[in-house]
Amino acid sequence: MILENKNNKSALSEINGVQQPDSISTTVAQNILQFRRKQPTAEELITAICKGDKIALSRAITLIESTNEAHLDKANQVIQGCLPYANQSVRIGITGVPGVGKSTFIEAFGKYLTSLGKKVAVLAVDPSSSISHGSILGDKTRMEELVKDENAFIRPSASGDSLGGVARKTRESIILCEASGFDTIIIETVGVGQSETAVHSMVDFFLLLKIAGAGDELQGIKRGIMEMADTIVINKADGDNKAKAKLAKTEFNRALHLFPAKKSGWIPKVTTCSAIEKEGIDNVWQLITDYLKITKSNTYFERKRQEQNQFWMLETINEQLKNRFYHHSEIITLLEANKKAVQNNEISPFAAAQLLLQKYFKE
């Protein structure tokens, strides 16, 4: 039995209340959408970047990372416009095995540098899935303190299929960050491997992070990385791990003496730190400062920058040739046909490659 009120309406019925106003102005919403859709010109991006606008810097890096050929000319204009304001920073590459604490170390290191009045840009390279080709890009989340620092800028990027997770996009992002006034550029790489040595071709100082007690201290890492390292930092030297870290430091020091002398005149050092407890971070920066004094006084610093510029010119040529080859309309069709022919042993891989290259260069 349902009770009814005087108006013969159900007691469960609702009456109209006070009409709530719109929480967002439609005019404001439209203006925001139009602003987001509007693409700034290359000149506008250059001007904003040189004024330290982080939003413009982020948009310009996105432009560089784009695989759309229509964005290439605009990206080149932005880079060329920022180039006169670049090259006024210290570029530091940081690598290490997964789990060594790269993000935690970079946050502690970055906060220490900003406390000294430095402006720090972190270009973090996140690994891409070989199956889905996606990346988590979680470095900003893990560096929750540094990301809130006004004197810091963190930009995670997907490694894609680039060698060692660094490529032209990372190299050019450095130029934009320098033009925006960041005097310390930190590049965090995917991890340790032979291909990871690509980072060495774009930084002034190469720092290798290690942890003690993770296996054979001398065989657990590629010799090529060890030879390139300017400093080895043993992280997580805290609590019960302090004794292990001290022993690992001694072992790595012995190992470094077996390598040839560096052209820079710098003798690689080994030190320990605890990124969690913020201990030993100042010593790492002191080692970098000492390295810069030596390499700038003997002109190695400038010569290395010049060699890197030449290297990346050649790398860019190789990359552009490769991209144009694979995006050529006729090559796309012929490539699929030759793939099947190679799989069916109808033609050798080498002969198929030669035919495709001949077709491309005849065009």
Side-chain angles (χ1 to χ4, degrees):
M1 181 177 185
I2 299 175
L3 297 176
E4 295 186 355
N5 58 19
K6 295 180 180 180
N7 296 325
N8 295 323
K9 292 183 179 180
S10 170
L12 300 178
S13 65
E14 295 182 2
I15 60 173
N16 294 329
V18 178
Q19 186 67 29
Q20 294 295 321
D22 292 336
S23 58
I24 299 177
S25 167
T26 54
T27 304
V28 172
Q30 287 296 325
N31 290 339
I32 292 173
L33 287 173
Q34 289 177 6
F35 174 77
R36 288 178 177 173
R37 290 189 186 121
K38 181 185 176 184
Q39 294 297 321
T41 64
E43 291 74 17
E44 289 172 339
L45 283 175
I46 294 166
T47 302
I49 288 170
C50 293
K51 289 181 179 179
D53 189 333
K54 291 182 181 179
I55 295 175
L57 177 59
S58 296
R59 296 184 78 164
I61 293 176
T62 300
L63 193 66
I64 288 172
E65 293 175 346
S66 174
T67 55
N68 188 336
E69 289 189 5
H71 296 159
L72 184 60
D73 287 340
K74 187 176 179 181
N76 286 335
Q77 289 177 41
V78 174
I79 295 163
Q80 192 63 33
C82 290
L83 198 57
Y85 308 99
N87 298 305
Q88 300 298 320
S89 76
V90 177
R91 304 167 184 172
I92 304 169
I94 297 179
T95 190
V97 295
V100 76
K102 291 190 293 293
S103 296
T104 307
F105 172 81
I106 289 172
E107 179 171 48
F109 187 54
K111 288 295 292 181
Y112 174 76
L113 292 177
T114 57
S115 71
L116 298 178
K118 303 287 184 181
K119 292 192 68 177
V120 180
V122 178
L123 301 177
V125 184
D126 232 30
S128 295
S129 168
S130 59
I131 300 173
S132 66
H133 304 291
S135 292
I136 297 174
L137 302 178
D139 294 278
K140 273 193 166 185
T141 304
R142 287 185 287 180
M143 301 179 195
E144 56 182 353
E145 291 298 322
L146 187 61
V147 77
K148 293 183 288 187
D149 197 315
E150 290 192 4
N151 288 324
F153 172 78
I154 302 174
R155 173 70 184 212
S157 299
S159 64
D161 57 358
S162 60
L163 180 64
V166 290
R168 177 184 60 84
K169 60 186 180 183
T170 308
R171 178 68 175 83
E172 294 177 346
S173 296
I174 292 174
I175 295 172
L176 300 188
C177 290
E178 290 175 339
S180 194
F182 292 97
D183 51 35
T184 309
I185 314 294
I186 298 173
I187 303 173
E188 178 195 359
T189 59
V190 172
V192 169
Q194 200 65 29
S195 62
E196 198 68 357
T197 57
V199 72
H200 189 258
S201 65
M202 64 176 71
V203 297
D204 306 312
F205 188 90
F206 190 62
L207 189 153
L208 173 61
L209 275 180
K210 283 286 290 177
I211 50 175
D216 189 330
E217 305 298 348
L218 303 184
Q219 298 298 329
I221 192 169
K222 297 290 185 181
R223 177 184 170 95
I225 300 283
M226 287 278 289
E227 288 179 322
M228 290 183 177
D230 295 305
T231 284
I232 296 176
V233 177
I234 302 167
N235 193 21
K236 302 184 180 181
D238 44 51
D240 296 336
N241 212 34
K242 280 187 177 180
K244 293 179 181 178
K246 187 176 180 180
L247 178 61
K249 178 181 176 181
T250 303
E251 291 178 348
F252 278 118
N253 264 321
R254 289 172 180 166
L256 288 176
H257 287 300
L258 301 175
F259 296 141
K262 287 182 173 287
K263 295 179 181 178
S264 61
W266 168 257
I267 300 174
K269 305 292 192 301
V270 184
T271 188
T272 62
C273 80
S274 170
I276 291 290
E277 297 182 355
K278 311 292 191 298
E279 292 183 1
I281 302 297
D282 55 341
N283 189 42
V284 175
W285 177 243
Q286 184 59 53
L287 287 174
I288 296 174
T289 303
D290 293 342
Y291 170 87
L292 294 174
K293 287 179 181 178
I294 291 174
T295 55
K296 286 184 176 180
S297 63
N298 63 17
T299 71
Y300 176 80
F301 183 91
E302 187 61 31
R303 282 187 284 114
K304 185 178 180 181
R305 285 276 182 103
Q306 292 170 352
E307 290 173 1
Q308 289 176 347
N309 288 338
Q310 292 180 4
F311 172 82
W312 282 101
M313 179 192 71
L314 298 176
E315 284 295 302
T316 303
I317 291 172
N318 292 336
E319 185 180 339
Q320 290 298 315
L321 286 173
K322 180 181 174 182
N323 287 340
R324 292 191 178 187
F325 175 83
Y326 284 111
H327 286 89
H328 192 281
S329 57
E330 291 190 29
I331 294 299
I332 291 172
T333 305
L334 289 173
L335 185 60
E336 290 304 315
N338 277 274
K339 279 182 180 179
K340 293 178 181 178
V342 168
Q343 288 175 344
N344 296 329
N345 290 320
E346 296 171 5
I347 187 173
S348 75
F350 312 104
Q354 190 64 30
L355 287 171
L356 288 166
L357 289 170
Q358 286 176 353
K359 176 63 179 177
Y360 176 75
F361 286 113
K362 282 181 181 178
E363 293 294 328

